[in-house]
Amino acid sequence: MAPGHGRRCPLFVAQEPSGHGDGLPVRITPHGGAASDQVIRLSTDVRIHFRAYTTCVQSTEWHIDSELLFGRRHVITGPVREPSPSGRENVFRIKKYIGSSEAREYKLMSCGGDGNSCQDLGVFRDGKGGAWFLGATEPYHVVVFKKAPSTV
């Protein structure tokens, strides 16, 4: 998580500065399912939130921001400021990345709107060449999941 574009809150979903760290742990739950559900199926609707504390007094759940910054929509944390009629700003999907021999590579997609169309999520630098933010952009960003310690 990182502040961005002159705002302290909400926090933007961003890549570790080095690009090589493990980052913060996340909790992924089926969208519309119980938080205790432990099986996440590929290509199904999920919700994602950080398992971390922040200086912002708000949720760490991810959603696509309705505001275009630098021509892109960012993934941010906290409450949805301007919900769409569908209310699906916090809906994501995890898809298997095809194109590598690594069995644990995936891509993340945002599936707001009608739920039938999803958009790949990629990382891009802010307008000042600083942090790498996650947002609706090409090319998509390949991720690898790693089980987080249960104490977080």
Side-chain angles (χ1 to χ4, degrees):
M1 287 183 283
H5 309 296
R7 300 186 286 187
R8 192 174 70 80
C9 297
L11 294 170
F12 289 71
V13 176
Q15 185 176 6
E16 283 282 319
S18 70
H20 301 295
D22 285 340
L24 295 172
V26 295
R27 177 150 181 89
I28 302 169
T29 56
H31 191 272
S36 60
D37 288 349
Q38 296 193 10
V39 176
I40 301 298
R41 307 226 183 268
L42 294 177
S43 301
T44 61
D45 292 350
V46 297
R47 298 169 71 170
I48 304 172
H49 73 268
F50 285 110
R51 288 177 45 201
Y53 297 102
T54 73
T55 57
C56 296
V57 183
Q58 64 185 28
S59 164
T60 60
E61 183 172 16
W62 295 17
H63 69 274
I64 290 287
D65 194 9
S66 60
E67 184 179 341
L68 283 175
L69 294 171
F70 302 108
R72 296 182 175 103
R73 296 178 68 203
H74 293 67
V75 178
I76 63 173
T77 63
V80 177
R81 293 181 289 174
E82 297 175 24
S84 68
S86 71
R88 292 179 53 89
E89 289 83 4
N90 65 343
V91 178
F92 296 91
R93 288 190 187 156
I94 302 167
K95 292 217 172 200
K96 181 80 178 108
Y97 170 61
I98 307 299
S100 170
S101 60
E102 176 62 45
R104 301 178 327 147
E105 292 183 334
Y106 303 91
K107 66 178 182 172
L108 300 175
M109 305 179 84
S110 168
C111 298
D114 61 8
N116 293 323
S117 60
C118 297
Q119 185 172 11
D120 292 332
L121 296 177
V123 293
F124 54 89
R125 283 201 185 269
D126 65 9
K128 300 174 186 167
W132 286 93
F133 294 109
L134 183 64
T137 187
E138 295 287 336
Y140 55 82
H141 185 63
V142 177
V143 297
V144 176
F145 293 106
K146 179 178 172 183
K147 187 164 179 70
S150 59
T151 58
V152 176

